[in-house]
Structures are given as C-alpha cells and as structure tokens.
Amino acid sequence: MKLLLVYPPFCTPTILPYSLASLKHFLKTNLDLEIDVLDLNAEFHKRKFAQYYKRVHETKTKEEYAKLFQEFEKESREVYAKNNKAVVHGENPEYFQEIFSLIHSNKYDCIAFSLVYNSQCFYATALLKELQKQNVTCILGGPAAKGKTLGYGTLLDSEQKTLDFFTEKGVQKKQANFYAADNPLDFSDFSQENYLSKERILPLKTSSTCFYKQCTFCTHFALVPYKEYETAWLENTLKKNNAKYVFIIDDMIAKERLLVLSQICKPLQVEWACQLRPTSDLLGISKELYSGGLRSVSWGVESGCQRILDLMKKGTEIQAVQDVLKESHEAGVQNILYIMFAFPTETKEEYMETIEFLEKNKEHIDLVCTSIFGLQRGAKAFDSPKDYGILEIKESTRTILQGNVTYVVSQGLGNEEARILQKKVQHRIDRINKIPKVFKCSREQVLLYK
Ligand code: SF4
C-alpha cells in the first residue's frame, strides 16, 4: 500500500515539519507501508515568497534578519487572510492547481493530512474537496483536525486507531521500536532550501506529553501517559541529522531531562531552545544548561498576580519566577515570557500587577508574548465554569473551523475590556522587549538572532 503524508499551507515555513517526520517514523516502524511525504506549506511559500527565500541568506546583521521577518510577516498575514477568505467563499486559493498537482493523487492508495494549526484547515479543505471528487481515500490527524474538515476524511486521533485503519486494509504489522537507538528520526525528506531560515533548525520532541497537565486553561497536552524518549534515540537523532540548531517542542521538560539534554548537546555543539514552567526546582542549573547549548527559554509565566496563578493552577510562585528569570538571564539564556491576560475574574488591578511585574523584572526579560485568555473546549475552566466565575458559555458555528466559544464572567475583565486595556499598555510592554516582536511567530528564529 502506498501512502502520501501532506502538510498543508498555512503556517510559518521557518522550521522543518516535526509532525510529518514523526508520523512517517511511526508508520514505517510499525507497518509495512510505502510512504512519501510532501510539505505543501513549504511548497506554497517557496513559490509565493521567493524573494524572501533569496534574501534570507544575504542578511549580514541580526537587525537585517529581523527586518526581513517583519516584512515577511506583514505580507504573509495579508496573503493568508485573502486565501482563507477565498476558501470560505468556495473559491480556490492561490497556486491551487500547481500545489494540487504535486500530490499526484493517482500514485497513492491513501493521502494523510497532518493538521497542526487551525490556519492550515482552509487550504486543506480546498485540497480535500478536490480529492473527494476524485474518490481518493483521505485520513486526517493532528490537533487542528476538527470542524468542517472532518467531513472530507477519516479522523485518526490515536496511534491505535491509525494502526487499526491500515491493518484492516491488509497492511502487515512490523515488530520494531520507535525509540530504539538504531532507529532515529530522519529529516532527510526535507530540503533546507524549502525553509525560510538562514540555518536549518530541527524540531525535536523528547517526551510524549506534559508531565504536569494541571493548568486550568490548557488544552495543549496529549491525554497519554507521560513517557520520556530514550536518551540514545535523542542523541542519534541529533547525530543522524547533523543538527546544529534545535527547537525542543515539548510543552514542558523536567529538570533531570534538561540536564541530560545539555549533556547530549554539549559535545555535538548543538544550540537549543525550549519551553518551561518557571519553578524553583530549576534554580542552580542555568549555567550548566547554557554550557550545554541552551540559548533560549519560552517561560509559561502567564501572570504577575499570585491569585491568578493559583486559579490557573500554574504551580508557580511569583518570587521563584523572578529568581528563575534572573538566574537564567545571568547565565546568558534569552528569556521569552508567555503572558495571558483576562483569565476569568482577573480585575483591572490584577492585570496591571502583571505589567508592573514585567517592568520590575525587565532587566531579565528579552521578549514578552502576550495573549488574551480564550476558553477552549477540553480545558478545566470549560468543564467546571462555575469554579472560575463563568456564568454562561456560548458556542457559535464557523464556516471551516470548529465553533467559536464565548462566555460571560461574574466579575473581572471581559475579553473586549482586556483588549482595550492592552492597547493602552502595549507601549510599556514594547519598552521591555530586547528581541524584535516579530519572532513571537517564529520563536525558533531567536536562535539565529545573534
Ligand atoms: S500550560 Fe504547559 S505546563 Fe501547563 S498543563 Fe499546559 S502544557 Fe503543561
């Protein structure tokens, strides 16, 4: 049986697609399948934004590098919006025939769509509609495989369902281990010239899910047992792919594992970035991590108000957060902070407490990434709304994406009030940033901003 894995437009084309590499690895390890992969997102961008791909290698300074991404971000945002609108109106997006022809649907028994971001669902819908007309079997997977796209293919949302789907079609199972040291992940399907980055940045996952799983706003973590991938497998993946820059995509990494990663990366001279919760157990290891190649951490700080942190069940203490940021900064690591405003019941005073927290610690902060809380199906705050002062939840339907959730709170800032307030204080946040804001959308690129 011959299978094609595709990654549809649109998401930032600055890093290799982890989902395609790991899905191919999983299927190859477990099934006797012939598999090709196709990053249609990269194919679209290479065509539409050819001048940026050329310029990215000509930039001489970090300022020029940031400027290029600023221009790209502005132009691409408009292109994505225009094309998504076209799909909503039943029209084909740009380069559709050319992109569709790359699929060569007659060569395959099945086409699998990997949907990681909601923004991929629009172009994917146009492709899926066309494949449906040709009676091609399509399967869908990934965190964004929701909403109307599900009408065009079979959803396979677990490893077991995926294996069952193929074995029921007569594909033979294989007995191999995904994480065996001699079976590392292989990124050789992805040519670096397809990616908008002056160096190749490898995405890597080191565990199955977040081990904490408590934050009451969160729907990121997979509902599977926590499993740390074998050290030898990680090391061989870095070696096989000749990795120099790595973005670790785990939602969280435990302290002991951070130390293991730095031990693996140090002799290979790999520079890496990761995402962490600023807890006090991390104090005392920053220098060792820096010497093991850690260059940037995106911290889930969320708020500068302890009541809100406790309501979020973030499991962090304000004082420890400040200490962790200070130590990390002094070790030479870039600190990027995730801040979430307007968690249900947050007052204006508590909102401003976060701004004051950021200003107080500005010396140790490189970039602040803000968002306004959005209630999501599956989050603890969605399942027990009363505990968070949420009086009413409404879901409206959308053309392509899953329904939009809105809510009414008994006290504190509403989303609109938070948005207005954010506009008023944005200049104070901008004054803190040392890294250009454009890298919020492609955080792995901060590894090259030097
Ligand atoms: S926000 Fe991060 S640390 Fe908290 S549960 Fe989600 S993935 Fe885990």
Side-chain angles (χ1 to χ4, degrees), residues 381-399:
F382 185 96
D383 296 337
S384 316
K386 287 205 181 91
D387 297 349
Y388 303 90
I390 298 172
L391 299 175
E392 191 190 354
I393 297 177
K394 282 188 190 155
E395 266 187 277
S396 58
T397 52
R398 289 193 281 190
T399 331

Side-chain angles (χ1 to χ4, degrees), residues 210 212-215 217-218 220-221 251-252 277 314:
C210 165
Y212 182 64
K213 293 188 185 136
Q214 298 290 317
C215 303
F217 58 82
C218 183
H220 284 177
F221 54 84
D251 294 313
M252 271 278 286
R277 213 162 41 105
K314 194 71 204 176

Side-chain angles (χ1 to χ4, degrees), residues 12 14 56 59 61-70 72-73 196-198 201 247 296 298 334 336 338 366-369 433-450:
T12 49
T14 49
V56 82
T59 55
T61 62
K62 64 179 188 177
E63 289 76 19
E64 275 176 35
Y65 200 59
K67 189 165 174 285
L68 178 129
F69 281 95
Q70 277 153 358
F72 169 75
E73 203 261 338
L196 185 63
S197 175
K198 68 177 171 187
I201 304 179
F247 188 77
S296 174
S298 297
Q334 293 169 334
I336 300 177
Y338 289 128
D366 293 286
L367 180 62
V368 183
C369 302
N433 292 339
K434 296 168 193 75
I435 295 174
K437 297 200 268 196
V438 67
F439 292 125
K440 283 193 229 174
C441 313
S442 44
R443 274 173 301 113
E444 75 289 335
Q445 289 298 324
V446 299
L447 287 168
L448 307 177
Y449 183 71
K450 56 182 182 181

